[in-house]
């Protein structure tokens, strides 16, 4: 069985990781996954599993949990008593600015004298021609460091909590790195104070350059900036889900005893009759029992054409009535409607998405305890060999300082930061580092049809008539006063052709059929096949052409004058120019291409054929919730990316391993996705794939260097070469640590070279390079 819990106190990925880990250890729990955005914990467990055991385990990890059993409780639980996201975002900014100021002050007084910056006499004095720090300055820097650490204590809390729970992560690395600098800085401070107290110049000279308080705070400053960006992104996504909920109408026009009364949708019951008019949203899922209306379902189905609804046709909540009036019998209410299912799935999918373990986190799981163990063993061995405690402690701390995991901690985030900047300049927005890291592993790319592979707007593609100029004049004037999407497409086709305007003596719009008008003594009919058949008109002249266009999924509009057929025009949603090249290049790289559409099978198959997509990988007549089901099925065969643009794609975007929203898409789709394409070209997907490959290679190079560095330097720092009078003191260790970090940063900066788009010219075709150099 699946249980839901609301968890309070989580602020970052490390928190959610801790909750998952402790929950999985509870007896009877098979799986546990957390949605940080919704503060939601999903637990797959046996019926005998005790909630109190889960509550206690989570409480010991530093959080609190509440069981969710009903819609009412869900609503209450999604309003935690703790500080909300916006306030937390402001607090993070304040802490970050304060930490920056503290870091700059510490750096100024620690290293300013090296470049002849003026120093107060109370902080510095001259000894043998060299500037010497006073005890007041040392204590001042120590106090500033403690304040900086206190402002960012969450890294220590989360990092060491994860360590004690047995799953050290990136926060543990940050906390350990900062702690190592603080510990040795504090040790040096006491030794310096002792030297000053006893006027021991040798002791003063030895430790005067070993106050690493600036490193202790600077590590926290850089990481806190990343946490701020994470919080900002998290808040935007949460707000997007709330804005989606607001699209559902809150009121409905209920028909009672022949009278219409406005009621809250919560008051509607199955079997009630509601009236929907032009411009209104459908309040529930139901069946038309009287009247006619043209419904825009693109938000839910993605289909570009509005649907004409007559008696016995189904309507869905939150779709828009473009034209007409209909009475609808309520069939589904509350969480049973398709729209509510989208909301529910969107809320919980974040928790059910398979977690991807970071490389650095995996290394940290073993690296951190091993380093701590080596440091402790170093202390014990030197003491057992009769060395002084000062000597033994110096070597033990040297191990911590030289193995301070700054390079390891920087290996991934610096490369990711540079790469996301590169992609931003290419018009690609990456919301989470893991999505860039693992984008290269995608096996299957699933594309929504309407608005993604196609432009999402109807266009006139063909016009056929013996008297073409007369045909254009008549259809333009007939559709000029019509708000139907087909009419707008025809008007847009000819609006710049200076067509002569005419005045109709009579003009009637026939719902779901077309237009009938009177021009002088002529009767004009413009509409669909039903209207033509009802008037007994003969269209056999263009029968073969019309049949071919219909088989291609195009919509046909016919024109007749005085019961004589004049001609027709065909309309269709056209293919995005960049789609064909994008799909072709992805197929060359061995990627599987799948197309999903809410449109009918004829249209979907035609678009798929034009884009050379395997017919077995084309899904038509698909509802939003069904899109997520198809993706879930494909995920059993490998990693899946979904590319879409509409509200109806939001669930699928969340379900996929990586969701990609395209330029011009709905704000809900963009906020539900992991990657946002800021320009209309789908070729940006190829840019992202190339940068992903290069980035992961760069990260592996950085991690290799960091590990090799530690493998070689830690034994030396522990004193292995002491018998030949070679010993690393903590100052040299810190220098080596800095060199390692600098190497990692410089190597990551090489990714900036990717700003030049990598294309090679092959004959007349421009092909993206997808090899990893």
């Amino acid at each position: 069985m699946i249980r839901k819990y609301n968890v309070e106190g989580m602020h970052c990925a490390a928190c959610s990781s801790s909750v998952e880990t402790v929950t999985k250890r509870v007896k009877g729990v098979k799986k546990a996954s957390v949605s940080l955005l919704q503060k939601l914990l999903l637990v797959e467990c046996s019926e005998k599993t005790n909630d109190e055991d889960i509550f206690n385990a989570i409480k010991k990890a530093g959080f609190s949990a509440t069981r969710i059993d009903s819609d009412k409780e869900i609503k209450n639980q999604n309003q935690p008593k703790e500080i909300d996201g916006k306030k937390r975002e402001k607090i993070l900014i304040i802490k970050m600015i304060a930490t920056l100021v503290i870091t700059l002050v510490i750096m100024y007084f620690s290293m300013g004298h090296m470049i002849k910056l003026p120093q107060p006499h109370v902080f510095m004095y001259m000894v043998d021609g060299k500037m010497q720090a006073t005890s007041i300055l040392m204590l001042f820097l120590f106090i500033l460091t403690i304040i900086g650490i206190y402002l960012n204590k969450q890294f220590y809390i989360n990092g060491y909590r994860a360590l004690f729970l047995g799953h050290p992560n990136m926060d543990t690395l940050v906390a350990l790195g900062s702690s190592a600098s603080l510990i040795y800085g504090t040790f040096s401070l006491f030794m310096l104070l002792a030297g000053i107290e006893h006027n021991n110049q040798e002791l003063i000279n030895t430790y005067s350059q070993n106050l690493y308080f600036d490193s202790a705070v600077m590590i926290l400053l850089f990481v806190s900036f990343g946490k701020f960006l994470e919080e900002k992104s998290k808040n935007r996504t949460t707000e997007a889900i709330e804005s989606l909920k607001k699209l559902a109408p809150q009121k409905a026009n209920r028909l009672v005893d022949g009278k219409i009364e406005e009621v809250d949708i919560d008051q509607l019951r199955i079997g009630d009759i509601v009236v929907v008019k032009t411009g209104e949203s459908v309040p529930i899922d139901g069946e038309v029992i009287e009247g006619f209306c043209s419904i825009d379902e693109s938000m839910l189905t993605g289909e570009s054409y509005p649907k004409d609804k007559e008696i016995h046709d189904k309507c869905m909540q939150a779709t828009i009535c473009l034209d007409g009036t209909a009475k609808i019998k309520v069939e589904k209410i509350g969480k049973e409607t398709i729209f509510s299912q989208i909301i529910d799935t969107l809320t919980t999918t974040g928790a059910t998405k398979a977690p991807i373990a970071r490389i650095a986190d995996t290394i940290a799981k073993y690296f951190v305890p091993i380093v701590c163990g080596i440091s402790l063993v170093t202390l014990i061995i030197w003491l057992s060999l009769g060395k002084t405690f000062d000597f033994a402690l110096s070597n033990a701390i040297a191990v911590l300082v030289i193995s301070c995991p700054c390079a390891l901690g920087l290996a991934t985030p610096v490369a990711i930061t540079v790469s996301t900047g590169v992609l931003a300049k290419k018009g690609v927005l990456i919301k989470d580092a893991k999505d860039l890291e693992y984008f290269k592993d995608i096996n299957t790319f699933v594309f929504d049809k309407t608005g993604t592979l196609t432009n999402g707007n109807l266009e006139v593609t063909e016009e056929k008539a013996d008297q073409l100029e007369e045909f254009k004049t008549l259809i333009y004037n007939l559709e000029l006063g019509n708000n139907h999407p087909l009419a707008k497409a025809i008007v847009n086709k000819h609006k710049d052709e200076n067509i002569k305007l005419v005045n109709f003596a009579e003009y009637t719009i026939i719902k779901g059929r077309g237009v009938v008008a009177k021009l002088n003594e002529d009767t004009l009919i413009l509409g669909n096949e039903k209207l033509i058949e009802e008037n007994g008109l003969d269209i056999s002249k263009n029968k073969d052409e019309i049949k071919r266009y219909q088989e291609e999924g195009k919509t046909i509009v016919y024109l007749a004058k005085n019961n004589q057929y004049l001609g027709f025009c065909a309309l269709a949603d056209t293919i995005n120019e960049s789609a064909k090249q994008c799909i072709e290049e992805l197929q060359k790289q061995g990627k599987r291409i799948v197309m999903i559409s809410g449109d009918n099978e004829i249209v979907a198959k035609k678009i798929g054929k034009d884009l050379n997509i395997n017919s077995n990988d084309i899904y038509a007549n698909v509802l939003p919730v069904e899109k997520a089901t198809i993706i879930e099925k494909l995920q059993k065969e490998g990693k899946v990316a979904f590319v879409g643009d509409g509200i109806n794609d939001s669930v699928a975007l969340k379900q996929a391993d990586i969701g990609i929203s395209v330029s011009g898409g709905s704000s809900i789709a963009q906020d539900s996705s992991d990657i946002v394409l800021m320009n209309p070209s789908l070729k940006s997907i190829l840019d992202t794939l190339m940068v992903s490959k290069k980035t992961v290679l760069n990260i592996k190079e950085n991690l290799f260097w960091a590990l090799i560095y530690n493998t070689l330097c830690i034994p030396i720092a522990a004193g292995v070469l002491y018998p030949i009078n070679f010993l690393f003191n903590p100052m040299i260790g810190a220098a080596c640590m800095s060199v390692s970090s600098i190497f990692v940063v410089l190597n990551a900066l090489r990714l900036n070279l990717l700003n030049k788009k990598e294309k090679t010219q092959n004959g007349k075709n421009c092909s993206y390079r997808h090899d990893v150099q």
Side-chain angles (χ1 to χ4, degrees):
M1 63 179 297
I2 302 293
R3 295 182 189 175
K4 295 181 181 180
Y5 299 87
N6 181 80
V7 182
E8 295 184 4
M10 298 188 299
H11 305 303
C12 64
C15 297
S16 59
S17 177
S18 296
V19 172
E20 284 185 4
T21 300
V22 298
T23 304
K24 288 175 183 176
R25 293 175 180 172
V26 174
K27 185 178 180 180
V29 173
K30 299 176 182 177
K31 291 182 181 179
S33 54
V34 172
S35 170
L36 182 60
L37 294 177
Q38 300 300 316
K39 303 182 184 299
L40 180 66
L41 168 65
L42 296 184
V43 178
E44 183 180 341
C45 59
S46 63
E47 293 184 4
K48 296 180 180 179
T49 303
N50 194 331
D51 282 334
E52 289 300 321
D53 292 338
I54 294 177
F55 296 154
N56 291 333
I58 293 173
K59 186 176 181 180
K60 287 180 181 178
F63 310 96
S64 61
T66 309
R67 176 78 178 271
I68 298 173
D69 286 316
S70 66
D71 286 342
K72 184 176 181 181
E73 285 178 308
I74 289 173
K75 183 177 180 180
N76 292 335
Q77 296 304 328
N78 280 340
Q79 298 173 358
K81 298 176 182 178
E82 60 183 38
I83 299 173
D84 64 38
K86 285 294 183 182
K87 288 183 180 179
R88 190 180 303 112
E89 194 176 305
K90 291 179 181 178
I91 291 172
L92 284 174
I93 292 175
I94 294 171
K95 286 184 177 180
M96 196 164 53
I97 293 173
T99 306
L100 175 62
V101 172
I102 289 171
T103 303
L104 293 176
V105 172
I106 292 175
M107 291 180 68
Y108 181 89
F109 290 113
S110 296
M111 297 177 286
H113 64 280
M114 299 178 185
I115 54 175
K116 309 296 184 183
L117 291 177
Q119 302 281 341
H121 293 299
V122 72
F123 285 165
M124 287 285 181
Y125 64 95
M126 190 70 70
V127 177
D128 298 330
K130 295 181 179 180
M131 296 297 293
Q132 185 69 58
T134 66
S135 57
I136 295 175
L137 173 59
M138 298 171 199
L139 291 171
F140 174 66
L141 296 178
F142 176 73
I143 292 170
L144 283 179
T145 302
I146 295 301
I147 294 173
I149 289 174
Y150 178 78
L151 288 173
N152 298 277
K153 62 182 181 295
Q154 71 273 14
F155 296 116
Y156 278 71
I157 295 171
N158 294 335
Y160 285 116
R161 178 193 290 150
L163 178 61
F164 296 142
L165 288 173
H167 57 96
N169 53 28
M170 286 300 295
D171 276 5
T172 305
L173 295 180
V174 172
L176 185 63
S178 179
S179 297
S181 298
L182 175 64
I183 290 170
Y184 191 72
T186 304
F187 172 72
S188 297
L189 172 63
F190 280 105
M191 297 306 293
L192 277 166
L193 292 176
I196 294 172
E197 178 69 23
H198 297 93
N199 197 25
N200 186 334
Q201 193 61 42
E202 183 181 353
L203 202 60
I204 293 173
N205 291 336
T206 301
Y207 292 102
S208 61
Q209 304 300 321
N210 292 348
L211 291 175
Y212 301 114
F213 294 141
D214 53 340
S215 298
V217 182
M218 194 178 296
I219 293 170
L220 301 177
L221 173 65
F222 288 135
V223 180
S224 65
F225 179 67
K227 293 293 183 182
F228 164 73
L229 295 179
E230 181 181 325
E231 183 70 30
K232 196 172 184 68
S233 175
K234 186 176 72 174
N235 289 338
R236 280 188 60 192
T237 305
T238 303
E239 289 169 3
I241 294 174
E242 292 302 317
S243 65
L244 178 58
K245 293 178 182 178
K246 293 177 182 177
L247 293 177
Q250 301 302 309
K251 301 285 185 179
N253 295 318
R254 183 169 61 185
L255 187 64
V256 180
D257 297 329
K259 295 182 180 180
I260 296 177
E261 59 179 16
E262 188 179 68
V263 298
D264 293 335
I265 60 169
D266 293 339
Q267 296 178 247
L268 293 177
R269 297 292 179 267
I270 294 176
D272 285 350
I273 307 299
V274 296
V275 179
V276 178
K277 302 177 182 178
T278 301
E280 295 179 349
S281 295
V282 179
I284 41 72
D285 286 5
E287 178 182 316
V288 176
I289 61 171
E290 184 180 322
F292 165 88
C293 58
S294 181
I295 298 290
D296 178 7
E297 296 182 343
S298 59
M299 183 180 74
L300 296 183
T301 67
E303 187 165 354
S304 50
Y305 304 99
K307 288 288 188 70
D308 293 333
K309 302 292 183 179
E310 299 176 334
I311 295 176
H312 302 310
D313 287 337
K314 305 292 184 181
C315 295
M316 294 179 286
Q317 184 185 38
T319 55
I320 308 297
C321 177
L322 298 177
D323 193 18
T325 300
K327 294 178 182 178
I328 303 174
K329 183 178 180 181
V330 178
E331 294 184 336
K332 294 180 181 179
I333 56 175
K335 63 180 181 181
E336 298 300 321
T337 66
I338 291 175
F339 182 78
S340 294
Q341 290 175 29
I342 293 176
I343 296 290
D344 182 63
T345 309
L346 190 59
T347 301
T348 58
T349 299
T352 58
K353 185 180 287 188
I356 305 175
R358 294 182 181 278
I359 298 174
D361 276 350
T362 303
I363 295 172
K365 182 177 180 180
Y366 304 100
F367 174 80
V368 175
I370 289 174
V371 167
C372 292
I374 293 173
S375 179
L376 181 61
V377 169
T378 299
L379 178 68
I380 294 172
I381 288 177
W382 285 119
L383 287 175
S384 65
L385 292 175
K387 294 296 182 180
T388 64
F389 180 77
D390 174 71
F391 181 89
L393 182 62
S394 179
N395 283 290
I397 294 179
V399 170
L400 284 177
V401 172
I402 205 167
S403 63
C404 174
C406 293
L408 187 61
L410 289 170
T412 299
V414 174
I416 291 296
T417 300
V418 175
S419 296
T420 50
V422 168
L423 284 173
K425 292 178 181 178
K426 293 177 178 288
V428 180
L429 175 62
I430 305 290
K431 294 185 179 181
D432 195 309
K434 68 176 176 61
D435 301 317
L436 179 58
E437 289 180 48
Y438 295 98
F439 192 69
K440 72 175 185 63
D441 297 325
I442 296 298
N443 309 108
T444 303
F445 284 84
V446 181
F447 290 86
D448 170 58
K449 180 186 74 67
T450 305
T452 303
L453 294 177
T454 67
N455 293 312
N457 297 310
L458 291 172
E459 294 181 15
V460 176
T461 58
E462 285 84 21
E463 292 177 317
K464 186 74 173 181
D466 291 337
Q467 302 296 326
L468 192 57
E469 291 305 315
E470 179 189 17
F471 176 83
K472 291 179 180 180
T473 299
L474 292 176
I475 64 171
Y476 178 78
N477 280 278
L478 286 167
E479 298 289 38
L480 198 56
N482 194 344
N483 289 322
H484 195 281
L486 292 173
K488 291 180 179 179
I490 291 172
V491 170
N492 286 334
K493 170 73 173 178
H494 301 294
K495 64 182 179 181
D496 297 323
E497 297 182 15
N498 296 318
I499 292 177
K500 179 182 178 181
L501 299 181
V502 300
N503 294 317
F504 296 107
E506 296 177 14
Y507 185 89
T508 304
I509 297 177
I510 302 175
K511 304 296 184 183
R513 298 291 190 271
V515 175
V516 176
K518 198 86 170 177
L519 179 63
N520 299 324
E521 298 300 320
D522 296 325
T523 299
L524 303 173
I525 297 175
L526 180 69
N528 58 23
E529 194 166 347
K530 288 182 179 179
L531 184 61
I532 295 299
E533 289 175 351
E534 289 171 359
N535 285 272
L537 299 177
D538 181 15
I539 58 172
S540 58
K541 180 180 179 180
N542 300 124
K543 184 177 179 180
D544 293 338
E545 288 177 278
I546 291 170
K547 183 180 179 181
R548 185 175 76 252
Y549 291 138
Q550 287 176 331
E551 288 175 349
E552 293 176 359
K554 296 182 179 181
T555 298
I556 309 298
V557 176
Y558 305 88
L559 175 66
K561 182 169 72 172
N562 298 328
N563 287 332
Q564 294 296 315
Y565 167 69
L566 295 184
F568 72 91
C569 64
L571 299 92
D573 188 6
T574 54
I575 293 176
N576 183 330
E577 290 182 5
S578 64
K580 192 161 189 176
Q581 183 179 353
C582 175
I583 289 175
E584 183 180 334
E585 291 293 336
L586 289 173
Q587 288 173 332
K588 284 181 181 178
Q589 297 184 40
K591 309 297 183 183
R592 180 183 178 185
I593 305 299
V594 175
M595 186 179 80
I596 295 180
S597 175
D599 222 331
N600 65 71
E601 188 172 359
I602 294 176
V603 175
K605 292 285 187 183
K606 175 61 172 61
I607 297 295
K609 182 180 179 181
D610 291 344
L611 292 172
N612 197 31
I613 299 174
N614 190 310
S615 60
N616 294 326
D617 289 328
I618 298 173
Y619 297 84
N621 298 309
V622 179
L623 291 174
V625 177
E626 294 172 335
K627 289 184 181 182
T629 303
I630 292 170
I631 288 174
E632 190 174 4
K633 179 182 176 182
L634 292 171
Q635 284 174 318
K636 294 177 181 178
E637 303 173 24
K639 300 292 184 183
V640 176
F642 179 78
V643 189
D645 74 313
I647 292 174
N648 62 297
D649 297 322
S650 56
V651 174
L653 287 165
K654 280 290 185 182
Q655 175 62 45
D657 294 289
I658 294 180
I660 306 171
S661 63
V662 299
S663 173
S666 71
S667 60
I668 301 300
Q670 291 186 0
D671 289 321
S672 298
S673 62
D674 303 299
I675 298 175
V676 179
L677 306 185
M678 304 306 290
N679 61 61
S681 175
L682 291 180
K683 290 184 286 187
S684 294
I685 294 174
L686 303 175
D687 286 329
T688 308
L689 191 57
M690 180 265 293
V691 172
S692 173
K693 291 178 179 180
K694 304 268 186 188
T695 301
V696 172
L697 177 62
N698 190 276
I699 290 171
K700 289 179 179 179
E701 292 170 349
N702 290 342
L703 291 172
F704 176 78
W705 165 258
L707 291 173
I708 286 295
Y709 153 80
N710 280 293
T711 301
L712 295 176
C713 291
I714 288 177
I716 298 175
V720 171
L721 299 181
Y722 179 69
I724 60 172
N725 295 320
F726 187 86
L727 191 66
F728 271 1
N729 62 35
M731 183 174 68
I732 297 175
C736 293
M737 177 194 72
S738 298
V739 170
S740 178
S741 298
I742 291 171
F743 176 87
V744 167
V745 171
L746 292 177
N747 187 49
L749 289 176
R750 291 191 308 114
L751 291 169
N752 274 315
L753 298 175
L754 298 177
N755 254 328
K756 294 182 179 180
K757 189 176 287 186
E758 294 192 36
K759 293 182 179 181
T760 56
Q761 192 72 21
N762 181 14
K764 295 182 180 180
N765 297 320
C766 189
S767 174
Y768 276 73
R769 298 173 62 184
H770 49 80
D771 57 302
V772 180
Q773 299 176 347

